[in-house]
Structures are given as C-alpha cells and as structure tokens.
Amino acid sequence: MTSVDEVLELKIESIGFEGKAISRLDGYVIFVAGGIPGDTVRAKIIKRKRDYAEAKVLDVLSPSPHRVQPVCRYFGVCGGCKWQHLDYHEQASSKRRHVIDALERTAGLNLEVNETAASDQIYEYRNKLEFTFSENPFKILENDPVKVALGFHSPGRYDKTIDIARCHLGDERMNRVLNWFRDVIALESEKRRDLGITIYDPQSHSGLLRFLTVRKSFSSDEYMVNLVILKEDEAIEQLATSLKRDLPFVSTFASIINSSRAQIASGAVWRVHFGNGYITEKIGKYSFKISPLSFFQTNTVQAERLYEAALSGVGGKKKVIYDFYSGTGSISIYLSELADEIYGFELADSSIKDAGENARLNNVRNVRFVKTDIAELFKGRDIIGNFKLLNLPKPDVIVLDPPRSGLHPKIAANVHLLQAEKLVYVSCNPMTQARDVKEIVANGYTPVSSQPVDMFPQTYHIENVLTLVRS
Ligand code: SAH
C-alpha cells in the first residue's frame, strides 16, 4: 500500500502511547513523528511493517487548532519534551485518554477516569536536571563547530550528547549553573587549561567529568550542585572555590565518585566541598532531606497532588497501611496521619536510610521501613507464611508505587492473598498498570476510581492513581 520514502498527505487523528501521532490509511496505522491531532501534513514514510508504518512530517499543510509554537530551540532534536507543539490543555486531555485506552484495551475495564490533575506550572517545574559531559557532541547542523558538550543524550544516539544552553524545564538559576560548567569545559577556557580538566570518555574509560546534577528546593530556595566524576581529583576542590564565588546562590556542592563503566549519574561515595551536602524540600507540611544520591519526585508541586490522590484513594482513617516500593518514604510519611501504623517496603539500602531520616525529621513515629525484595515475598508456596515471618499486623490498605515496569507478575497475581480491603496503585506507566490491574481484578477487586496526575508537562508521561476495593 505504501512504501518507504513515499510522500503522502495525511490527516492526524489521535496521539497514542509514547506520544506517537496516529494517522490511518484505509485502516492501516501510520505513526507520524511531529504530527498532532487535527493536523493535515505532508509526511514521508520511513519504515514499513505489516501492521503499521512510521512516517515523519515534512510540512504541515493545515495546522491543528491545538498546535502551538515550541518554546525550546532544541525541540525535535532533544528527546526530552516531545509535546511542546501541543497546547497544554490538549496535553492533559490526551494523557487522560491514554489512561482510559489502557484500562479499556489492556484490562477490559470501563471505568470513569477523572480529569487529569493538570500542572499550573508547565515550564520550569523540575527540581532536578541532569546533564552529561561529553567530547562526542551531537551536531545539530552538519557544519556545527561544537567540540564538547554538556547536555542531554540525543534520542536514538546514546553515544552522542546535545550541547544545551538552556533547558526550559529548569529555572534560570539551574541554567546558570549549567552554563557555568559549559564555560569550564569550553576548549579555550582558562579554568580548563589551568586545572587540567578532562571529560570522561566511555570508550577508553578515562577523563574526569561525567555528569552534572543540579537540584533545587522550591520551598527553601536552596540549590545543590553535584558533579559525578571518575575519581577524586584536586581540580574539583578548586572548581568548588570558583563556583562558590561566581554563583553564591548555590548552597551546597558535592562530588560523587563513579569509577565504574556504567554511564549513570550516581555512585557509591560522595564528598561535600561546601555547604551541608543536602537540600530540604517540602511536600505539603512534610519536609524531606535530599542528599546527592537520594531519589525524590522531580516535580515538587505536582508530587503533592499525586500524594493527595493517594490519600483520597485510602479514603479515611485505617489501622494498618502497607506502602510497597516506598523509596525514600515520602508516601508513607504523607499518609502517616491516616493510619495507626504504616509499613514501607523497599529494596534499596540508601532509600531505607533516607526514609528513616525523613520520618525522624518530621517527627512521624508510626511509620516503619522494612528492607526487603517485595517480589521475593510473593514467591514460593506459602506467601502468607513469608509475610508472617515479618511479624507485622495485617494491612487494611496497600499502596503500590512500582517502577515503570510495573508489578512483578507474582505480586500482581498474589497481592489479593493479603486480603486488604483496598489497594491504591500509584503508577507512572498506564500500560503496565492496566496489565497488573487486569490480574488484580480477576482475583476479586473492583476498581472504583482513577485519577491521572500530570507530573511532566511537555512530555507524554502521565501518572495515574487507581483505587480498587475488595468485592
Ligand atoms: N514511592 C516513592 C517512589 C518509589 S520509586 C515516592 O513516591 O517517592 C520505586 C521504588 O521501588 C524504588 O525506590 C526502588 O528501589 C524500589 N523497588 C524496585 N523493585 C523493588 C523490589 N523488588 N522490592 C522492593 N523495592 C523495590
């Protein structure tokens, strides 16, 4: 019907999972990169499969009323904000439609889904930005003279980094930090020459600077800068002195050592160069201490909406709540007034430690964190027995907030054995949530509410809080 390189005029009907715009040609699905619902575009087919094709927009012949001018000059190149060309109202309703579609198609559920809890701030909402140092920049134009980069990975080319001068998801100060470090690595920079600064090269596993992380607290206006480096180096101490002098709003600066080959902005040890080594952020009335390696929801304002949705899912005072995948304890702490006892279950040591500190910081005494692999608890012949060994009271409500991949299949299949009256499933991936909910429903639970919360404006990501009751 179509062939690769063919140029077609297409009407975009909808926008589906992973933010792909969809057009249909006699029922045959074409995913059109760069299109939005309501557009008529001229697009070129770049891939053709039996069930679908992929195309990219050459020109927009007649724009959708929802089309807006992207604010970012890296739009279309950077993989970060794929929906900047879609007006925010339409972003929020498309995200809600994803949740509805996932529940309908994957779980066969026809559930009333609330309007998306939209974000008031649609740019500059992130409390954390993470940039990669690289000597292998992505050239936006062929004759681009850029030689070194500090920015984001280019989508599909993970070896290359786009040099970013401004990211609109962070505020002006976060961008000043970014540009301060871009100046440091510039080839003609005096600092670079004087200090002998080198950039990490994954191929040869040498060079000093790997990642830059900038975090801010919306409630206290503190800024934390972290450099992920290959090994200790006295150049960092000197950089710290100039950073403190040049950008006095930076309240603390720490380096994190990652001496492994794994290209992750994390490491085993960190060292504070100035300040106290953490920032404090608030969600609602609770404070959280964020250290260089701590996980924290990246959209502070919307995190409160998310936790409020979980709170209303729990729906009133309970005796015992289990919080599966409790991370640094923020949900457990946020729900602490709703129950006599709360137990957070979490695998990562560092998160367990942070969670305990956060509970103390907030004077919350009815929360306990259990270090365990939840999947292991749901394995074997005697799941109830596994839980009995923990010596905990039975849960009235279980909150589940798994990673994007969703629940381990054994958890989805067996969580009903704990006989909680309610399950509150907080998800950042409606597809895996729908898959898991199907299983949970088959074992005797009924979904009663679904509340999408938008934590990531300008992207297709959506969180959904789904509450189920035992029938
Ligand atoms: N509820 C937290 C975020 C959780 S992120 C918040 O709102 O801040 C998911 C967490 O699940 C991570 O902390 C991860 O370490 C943990 N995790 C992943 N697999 C796990 C497992 N099998 N058992 C226990 N915890 C797990």
Side-chain angles (χ1 to χ4, degrees), residues 428-443:
C428 55
N429 183 346
M431 289 292 260
T432 53
Q433 183 182 44
R435 176 202 70 198
D436 297 341
V437 164
K438 183 179 183 190
E439 188 71 30
I440 294 170
V441 167
N443 286 307

Side-chain angles (χ1 to χ4, degrees), residues 128-182:
K128 178 184 181 186
L129 291 178
E130 201 171 277
F131 305 101
T132 308
F133 289 96
S134 171
E135 275 179 328
N136 192 7
F138 177 85
K139 291 191 187 299
I140 296 174
L141 298 171
E142 231 163 77
N143 59 355
D144 199 332
V146 64
K147 294 244 167 34
V148 289
L150 178 55
F152 300 125
H153 285 297
S154 115
R157 284 301 307 269
Y158 283 98
D159 55 327
K160 294 209 181 274
T161 301
I162 307 162
D163 188 46
I164 301 279
R166 176 165 179 202
C167 172
H168 291 266
L169 299 191
D171 72 3
E172 194 259 336
R173 286 179 160 183
M174 294 165 101
N175 279 288
R176 272 166 68 193
V177 174
L178 165 69
N179 282 295
W180 192 87
F181 281 95
R182 281 177 73 237

